Structure formats: structure tokens, C-alpha cells
Amino acid sequence: MSNVEVEFYWRPGCGFCAALDRPMSRSGFNIRKINIWEDPDAAARVREVANGNETVPTVIVGSTAMVNPSFAEVEAAVKAASAG
């Protein structure tokens, strides 16, 4: 659908991450999944956009950061970034 990169920050055992991963995997988006437990820089990036918390899923599309977004919110951000 788009070549805009979707940064999908997650961690093992996160039910909200798994719930978002299902539609994301089927979306055709260019997704880079980053496990915050394996990447300290990724955990720091999540804290930066989530008021100091390591709340996942956090999704970043271009300059838009979303904490625990719905798939519809991610889809809208990808469409907006693709149009820009």
C-alpha cells in the first residue's frame, strides 16, 4: 500500500501488541517491528513519546507517534504520511 515506514514498538507477552500485530501483519504496510526489551535505544524512544513510560504498542509513522493506537489510527497516519 505504501512505502512509508511504520515503526512498531512492542514487547513479548503484551496482549495489546499481539492484538495490533494481527491487522498490521495483513495490512501490507512497510513495518519495522522493534522489541523494546532487546533494544535499549528503542525503549528510550518509547519513553520519549509516552511521557516517560515504556507503554507498548507504540507506533511511529513519520513525525506521528501514537501510544497504544487502534489499527484505524495507524492506517490514517500511514495514509496521511503517504499523501504528504
Side-chain angles (χ1 to χ4, degrees):
M1 176 180 180
S2 168
N3 62 352
V4 173
E5 184 175 73
V6 177
E7 297 174 35
F8 180 21
Y9 296 88
W10 70 285
R11 65 165 173 75
C14 170
F16 294 106
C17 298
L20 183 59
D21 188 41
R22 285 187 286 275
M24 293 270 282
S25 295
R26 294 189 299 264
S27 69
F29 296 158
N30 177 21
I31 300 168
R32 183 163 58 104
K33 289 178 65 174
I34 306 124
N35 180 343
I36 67 166
W37 283 358
E38 293 179 351
D39 185 337
D41 291 336
R45 180 111 157 101
V46 168
R47 287 192 304 274
E48 187 179 293
V49 300
N51 299 320
N53 299 307
E54 290 183 3
T55 306
V56 288
T58 290
V59 177
I60 300 175
V61 180
S63 61
T64 302
M66 298 162 282
V67 179
N68 198 16
S70 68
F71 177 70
E73 290 171 311
V74 174
E75 192 173 35
V78 170
K79 286 180 181 172
S82 298

